Amino acid sequence: MEFPENLKDPKQWVYRGEGGATIVVASKLEDIVLRLKKTSVGSFFNASEPPTKYLPSIVKKNHRQDEQTLNSVDFQKNVFQPLMGCDYVRIGSLVKIPVGFLTEINRLCLPNRPLHRLDKVIDLESNVGVFMPDFCFLQKKPGTSVSPLTKSRTNKQANHTNVSKGSPTFCVEIKPKCGYLPESPFISSEHNIKYTVCHYCMLQKLKVKEGKYSRESCYCPLDLFSEDTDRVFFALKSLVRDPQNNLRVFKDGSLIFSEELVEVFLNSKGAMCSTKFLENALHGLSKSSSSACCTGQGPNSCCLGPNCRHLLEILLQIFVHDSSVTLSNVSATVVNHFSHQKCKKSKYEPDLIHQANEKIKQLTFQGKGVLQKLLAIQQLDSLDIEALHCLYSKVMKCFSKQPKLRENLGVDGHYDWDIWKSAVGASKASLDGFKVEKKDYKILHESVNESSIRLCRDIVEDRVSLEDDSVAFNFAILKIFQFLIASTAKDCSIMITFQKCFDPPFDSHWIKEISSGDLYCYNIDLVDLDPKEFDRVPKYFKDSVRAVQNYI
């Protein structure tokens, strides 16, 4: 689509956030954001000098950013949305970028960007971006695709007539990471710690050692995905204590809580824990007047103030309610034994009371919802990276002997091609294995796994050649594809948006908050759903080995 005339002024856009590959800017006029690809500044970059010094000197190499942007939308439409459902995955609109627009946007964003992200800038040679709805505000119930230019900022409540006038809209962005422990028999004996300690918790030790963070996080993804309300609440509380890059909170589109904001405040105004910082930022959310306090360094030492507690109780109730709602392509309850796993490094102590509200403690997850579906997609990585790396190496040997095979198969894109359609179909069938009666689940799960394990072992131990056996070759490709899809699920973010309303709305989901009795409309959306590159497998393998070796 063409770039709308009323949005061509770069000064009408503000920096919203960024990941490793994209920067997101938000319109001041419409409830939309624009996702833009980034590129490396170069090895000559010096973080201590003004980044603007290097903008004119950025050297461009083989330009593939526009193709990557097209691939990203293609992947979300043809791979992730069919697996996750249109209830959580909205497809953006490709838009042509006006000449000169990106240069000014780059300069406007620079003062607000985190220092550790300044090794990359917006790709000034890019010709396209992606318009998405602004998930910091409530949106209409999703369809299969989105035309984001539907609602002006001056009338942002037009789609939800039941919202309380003047009530702020809150959006909580959670990057949950991998929520299960692997059970693959292909993990080497030297790395068997992976069976008891999750990858996220192992990485914490490495990140502290490298100086990225001053202390290890108390958050463990397995607690968030546990379907145990007390463990989930503890996970949310731990994210507040140690937000790192896993938690951000917005109010009416403005960032009010993040690791970077807390650090800036600490450096300029002295001691204050992140829990107290968020308590102050949420002023007025709760009617109570007590405050948060810190009593030590442990995971249970930060007492939640009324505003923080109210926020986390709303989030917990939204997750529980979402798990009971019948969504577009969920035909049965997800029975997932992985949700009951416990990480050895988790700081959760079941004997302590983490959620004091007795009514909330009585809530139960119903086996559906965004957390359960996301966990199931993560588990498409059933063989672990150690087996996947071996399969990848053997596939690459086939590609080296048949140079055109890789391109003809479309492994690097064209996500509507037959090979990817087959992978999506096989993955949906695998996910359906979780949608059976509980008594049948274990039998079906073990039957599917045993068949895959036997074939994988034959390939790894060279009893079957990929060059001579098309079934084995297709199996290897499928498992690599599923690993890449799972990797996107492990690295995406969940956006939970809510606003107080005075009547149950007809055009969005809603909850009645237990503590206050207030009604809240809510949306849940997934973002950061870019495809992982086929050739990223060796890096995943090296990162896994490095994390394990550092931990042990």
Side-chain angles (χ1 to χ4, degrees):
M1 64 180 289
E2 295 294 330
F3 211 96
E5 284 294 329
N6 66 319
L7 300 179
K8 286 186 177 180
D9 182 1
K11 294 180 181 178
Q12 296 301 324
W13 294 84
V14 295
Y15 174 81
R16 174 61 62 76
E18 63 188 286
T22 58
I23 282 181
V24 178
V25 291
S27 169
K28 297 178 182 179
L29 304 175
E30 309 278 352
D31 276 354
I32 60 170
V33 298
L34 178 62
R35 292 174 61 87
L36 300 166
K37 283 290 182 182
K38 300 195 297 188
T39 190
S40 297
V41 171
S43 57
F44 51 80
F45 176 76
N46 186 339
S48 65
E49 296 183 299
T52 50
K53 171 182 177 180
Y54 299 98
L55 287 178
S57 306
I58 295 172
V59 179
K60 304 297 178 185
K61 298 183 179 178
N62 298 326
H63 189 69
R64 301 190 304 120
Q65 299 292 64
D66 288 346
E67 182 182 350
Q68 291 175 357
T69 301
L70 294 169
N71 267 347
S72 181
V73 174
D74 197 27
F75 175 81
Q76 292 166 35
K77 178 181 180 181
N78 294 294
V79 178
F80 218 86
Q81 190 184 71
L83 295 176
M84 192 73 197
C86 61
D87 303 278
Y88 304 116
V89 179
R90 318 242 192 156
I91 309 303
S93 303
L94 289 167
V95 60
K96 295 180 181 178
I97 302 297
V99 175
F101 179 83
L102 295 181
T103 300
E104 187 61 22
I105 286 290
N106 226 341
R107 296 182 187 277
L108 291 172
C109 287
L110 279 171
N112 301 303
R113 296 181 60 200
L115 187 62
H116 72 276
R117 295 289 190 187
L118 295 182
D119 59 333
K120 291 184 178 181
V121 294
I122 296 171
D123 183 0
L124 303 181
E125 288 190 353
S126 181
N127 296 307
V128 296
V130 179
F131 275 149
M132 292 289 293
D134 189 344
F135 296 132
C136 283
F137 298 95
L138 288 172
Q139 305 293 329
K140 284 185 175 180
K141 285 183 180 180
T144 54
S145 62
V146 173
S147 177
L149 300 176
T150 58
K151 188 169 49 163
S152 68
R153 177 57 50 81
T154 57
N155 193 29
K156 60 176 176 281
Q157 295 181 346
N159 283 337
H160 297 275
T161 54
N162 290 350
V163 298
S164 300
K165 186 177 180 180
S167 177
T169 303
F170 290 95
C171 177
V172 179
E173 179 182 354
I174 297 174
K175 188 178 286 290
K177 308 303 284 187
C178 182
Y180 70 100
L181 296 171
E183 296 183 344
S184 169
F186 297 101
I187 295 173
S188 66
S189 58
E190 294 86 355
H191 299 160
N192 61 11
I193 189 68
K194 292 162 74 171
Y195 292 125
T196 56
V197 179
C198 77
H199 184 68
Y200 180 88
C201 289
M202 279 194 282
L203 274 180
Q204 286 299 304
K205 185 174 181 180
L206 181 60
K207 289 179 178 180
V208 170
K209 179 180 178 180
E210 294 177 343
K212 187 172 184 179
Y213 298 114
S214 60
R215 67 183 183 190
E216 295 182 25
S217 173
C218 290
Y219 169 69
C220 175
L222 273 68
D223 293 329
L224 184 68
F225 285 100
S226 67
E227 298 187 49
D228 178 314
T229 52
D230 200 49
R231 282 181 69 187
V232 174
F233 188 85
F234 178 78
L236 295 172
K237 178 180 175 182
S238 298
L239 285 171
V240 173
R241 180 185 183 270
D242 299 295
Q244 296 191 3
N245 73 330
N246 302 101
L247 178 68
R248 297 196 302 165
V249 181
F250 299 86
K251 180 180 179 181
D252 291 332
S254 297
L255 182 66
I256 62 170
F257 180 75
S258 69
E259 177 82 10
E260 290 80 15
L261 287 180
V262 173
E263 284 185 356
V264 169
F265 190 88
L266 289 175
N267 292 335
S268 62
K269 298 191 177 182
M272 176 186 284
C273 71
S274 58
T275 309
K276 178 70 173 179
F277 183 92
L278 180 57
E279 180 67 20
N280 291 345
L282 293 172
H283 178 71
L285 180 63
S286 171
K287 298 173 184 177
S288 178
S289 59
S290 60
S291 61
C293 64
C294 295
T295 59
Q297 294 297 316
N300 302 295
S301 61
C302 284
C303 299
L304 294 177
N307 293 315
C308 279
R309 180 169 293 278
H310 195 51
L311 174 73
L312 300 191
E313 288 178 348
I314 291 173
L315 288 177
L316 178 59
Q317 290 174 75
I318 287 175
F319 279 134
V320 171
H321 182 267
D322 174 59
S323 76
S324 66
V325 176
T326 301
L327 300 177
S328 61
N329 69 338
V330 181
S331 58
T333 298
V334 175
V335 180
N336 195 331
H337 79 284
F338 286 95
S339 65
H340 303 298
Q341 292 179 326
K342 289 182 173 63
C343 172
K344 189 177 179 180
K345 281 288 289 182
S346 170
K347 307 297 190 300
Y348 174 75
E349 298 180 40
D351 294 334
L352 297 178
I353 298 176
H354 302 287
Q355 173 49 264
N357 190 315
E358 289 296 328
K359 291 182 179 179
I360 292 180
K361 285 168 65 176
Q362 293 172 10
L363 296 175
T364 57
F365 282 86
Q366 299 300 313
K368 302 175 186 176
V370 66
L371 292 175
Q372 291 74 17
K373 292 203 71 179
L374 196 61
L375 180 61
I377 294 176
Q378 290 182 0
Q379 290 156 14
L380 290 174
D381 170 21
S382 60
L383 298 178
D384 190 72
I385 186 60
E386 296 189 34
L388 255 295
H389 185 254
C390 183
L391 295 183
Y392 169 83
S393 299
K394 292 180 182 296
V395 167
M396 291 305 292
K397 287 181 180 178
C398 292
F399 286 163
S400 67
K401 292 181 180 180
Q402 302 179 62
K404 288 289 184 181
L405 180 59
R406 178 171 182 157
E407 181 180 350
N408 293 339
L409 286 174
V411 299
D412 300 304
H414 304 292
Y415 295 103
D416 58 346
W417 282 21
D418 287 345
I419 190 170
W420 277 100
K421 288 181 180 178
S422 297
V424 171
S427 299
K428 289 181 75 172
S430 177
L431 295 179
D432 285 340
F434 293 108
K435 300 174 188 176
V436 296
E437 294 296 325
K438 194 167 187 177
K439 61 185 175 61
D440 298 326
Y441 169 76
K442 187 175 181 181
I443 297 173
L444 177 61
H445 177 73
E446 290 179 352
S447 174
V448 172
N449 264 4
E450 285 174 7
S451 176
S452 295
I453 288 168
R454 281 197 301 270
L455 182 51
C456 185
R457 182 169 283 116
D458 286 342
I459 296 171
V460 169
E461 296 177 359
D462 293 322
R463 287 193 292 269
V464 174
S465 169
L466 299 190
E467 297 174 38
D468 302 327
D469 190 323
S470 61
V471 173
F473 179 82
N474 290 335
F475 170 83
I477 291 289
L478 169 64
K479 287 303 175 182
I480 295 172
F481 281 5
Q482 289 183 330
F483 170 80
L484 297 175
I485 295 169
S487 296
T488 294
K490 295 173 186 178
D491 206 33
C492 71
S493 293
I494 305 172
M495 307 283 282
I496 307 102
T497 309
F498 62 91
Q499 186 177 20
K500 190 182 295 185
C501 56
F502 55 82
D503 278 322
F506 67 90
D507 55 355
S508 70
H509 299 303
W510 60 277
I511 61 165
K512 183 176 182 179
E513 207 279 316
I514 289 176
S515 297
S516 63
D518 293 330
L519 303 183
Y520 286 91
C521 311
Y522 75 85
N523 287 156
I524 300 178
D525 294 276
L526 297 182
V527 297
D528 299 333
L529 297 174
D530 298 316
K532 304 302 182 182
E533 294 181 357
F534 193 83
D535 290 329
R536 198 174 178 84
V537 172
K539 183 181 185 303
Y540 282 121
F541 178 71
K542 290 179 182 177
D543 289 347
S544 176
V545 171
R546 184 164 171 255
V548 171
Q549 290 180 344
N550 178 79
Y551 184 81
I552 58 179

